[in-house]
Amino acid sequence: MFSTKQKLCIYMEGALDNDSGKMGFGLMRFSKHPIVCVIDSKFQGKTVAEAVNLPYSIPVVATVEDALVKGSEIMVLGIAPSGGKFPDSWDEPVSFALKNGLSLINGLHDDLNARFAHLLGANRIWDVRKPKSSYPIATGKAAKLDNKRILMIGTDMASGKMTAGLELYAALLKKEANVGFVPTGQIGITLMGSGIPLDAIKVDQAAGAVEEAVLAERDKDIIIVEGQGSLAHPGSTATLPLIRGTQATHFILCHKAANDHLRFPVSHVPIPPLDEFIKLNENVAKVCGSQSPAETVGIALNTIGLSKAEAENKVMEIEKLTGLPTTDVVRFGVEKLVKAIMQ
């Protein structure tokens, strides 16, 4: 969609220090574009490392105008507000960006071409979550593929499924494995330049969209599929079509280690014991033996909020509980999971 030589600024006003900035954090870690700054007036004058103790020396500025001075060519909306809706308070900064020649990457559900196209000149808006008009109905075709299909599953939203999947993909590429990656959310699509915006697709066509994307990677020996949602979350419908569309051969369970309940607004719901939750996902996959079984081969923890010692203890605790290789791919590396998959 855009050249990777083009310079990015990431709009994160009010979100640099909380979970709603996950789009921006994903770009900081994985984007191939040069990132010239992050916009969040609360931390202006600092670097990201100084502001929130993440390992990025990216400067933080107060305004879009400041980002233009730094040579930005594309502004990415790095915030994921509740429901993926565009807040009216963003009208002014986005309008200013577009009027001054910045292109825009929008990961929200709202169609910003429809809202702001009249402001465009040579610049463009990429609405990442815009699905095709229709997708086929899934029929389980992926089960006939002779490869490994690794689906990242989670105990909750924002549990690290995309990060773990991309780290695993990058590590397998370094080992010269014949591996593909299927993005299913706005961050993965933005990073890879293609994919399926699963949560914007009609529910009856969701499994078919996943199946179509997996079949497009049929020449790969290993396919990593970005996970979405959780079977444990009362508001999520994403995991089931991912299981059905991929006909996954393996799962990697992703879990935010410091949490024992789901995130707000469903923080009254406890996270199930991991060993039991693993069995639930595997039982859903095989449907009493009528469909392809999937084996959970490892656990990717997100240990943010824990000290290194606490994180190490949590890894050992979960390995003892589940008998599965466990790691935080950011803190401790991905090699345990690579080894589990290659075996």
Side-chain angles (χ1 to χ4, degrees), residues 38-324:
V38 168
I39 302 168
D40 188 339
S41 58
K42 179 179 177 181
F43 298 104
Q44 62 177 302
K46 297 184 177 182
T47 65
V48 171
E50 292 166 343
V52 292
N53 198 31
L54 289 174
Y56 310 114
S57 58
I58 304 166
V60 184
V61 301
T63 66
V64 177
E65 187 173 4
D66 295 331
L68 285 161
V69 170
K70 288 190 172 292
S72 300
E73 298 170 88
I74 303 169
M75 186 167 82
V76 184
L77 299 180
I79 308 173
S82 180
K85 297 292 292 179
F86 182 85
D88 289 340
S89 60
W90 293 4
D91 256 320
E92 190 280 328
V94 169
S95 295
F96 182 86
L98 295 173
K99 288 176 182 176
N100 284 274
L102 288 181
S103 289
L104 184 71
I105 297 178
N106 164 42
L108 307 182
H109 283 299
D110 289 341
D111 184 340
L112 297 193
N113 271 286
R115 186 165 182 158
F116 293 109
H118 63 286
L119 302 178
L120 295 175
N123 51 339
R124 292 178 291 165
I125 298 172
W126 180 20
D127 288 311
V128 172
R129 266 173 158 162
K130 192 170 185 178
K132 296 195 305 184
S133 57
S134 67
Y135 297 87
I137 302 301
T139 58
K141 295 185 189 75
K144 297 179 181 179
L145 299 179
D146 186 22
N147 58 16
K148 294 179 181 178
R149 299 176 299 285
I150 318 295
L151 176 60
M152 315 303 290
I153 56 172
T155 55
D156 195 2
M157 313 290 197
S159 56
K161 297 180 285 291
M162 182 213 66
T163 297
L166 284 171
E167 290 287 350
L168 189 56
Y169 172 64
L172 288 166
L173 283 177
K174 287 181 181 178
K175 291 184 177 293
E176 299 184 344
N178 181 24
V179 59
F181 184 83
V182 175
T184 60
Q186 70 269 31
I187 306 174
I189 296 170
T190 301
L191 292 167
M192 302 296 288
S194 63
I196 52 171
L198 187 61
D199 60 2
I201 296 171
K202 296 173 184 176
V203 68
D204 284 351
Q205 297 180 6
V210 174
E211 181 178 88
E212 184 177 69
V214 168
L215 292 173
E217 298 287 319
R218 67 195 322 147
D219 62 322
K220 304 296 193 301
D221 296 329
I222 302 170
I223 305 173
I224 309 294
V225 181
E226 179 188 0
Q228 300 292 333
S230 171
L231 290 180
H233 196 292
S236 173
T237 59
T239 302
L240 185 59
L242 282 163
I243 292 174
R244 294 289 172 259
T246 61
Q247 294 290 306
T249 58
H250 302 86
F251 292 146
I252 301 262
L253 177 65
C254 302
H255 172 61
K256 201 164 186 178
N259 292 4
D260 56 12
H261 283 69
L262 300 182
R263 297 167 67 242
F264 181 83
V266 289
S267 46
H268 60 284
V269 178
I271 293 172
L274 297 193
D275 54 343
E276 294 183 24
F277 191 64
I278 287 167
K279 291 176 184 176
L280 171 65
N281 281 275
E282 291 179 346
N283 285 334
V284 169
K286 68 183 180 182
V287 195
C288 305
S290 69
Q291 293 197 36
S292 301
E295 177 188 3
T296 307
V297 293
I299 298 175
L301 295 183
N302 176 348
T303 62
I304 191 167
L306 302 181
S307 69
K308 184 178 179 183
E310 289 170 332
E312 289 171 340
N313 288 336
K314 184 63 73 170
V315 166
M316 290 188 289
E317 173 191 323
I318 290 175
E319 283 189 332
K320 183 177 180 181
L321 173 67
T322 64
L324 293 172

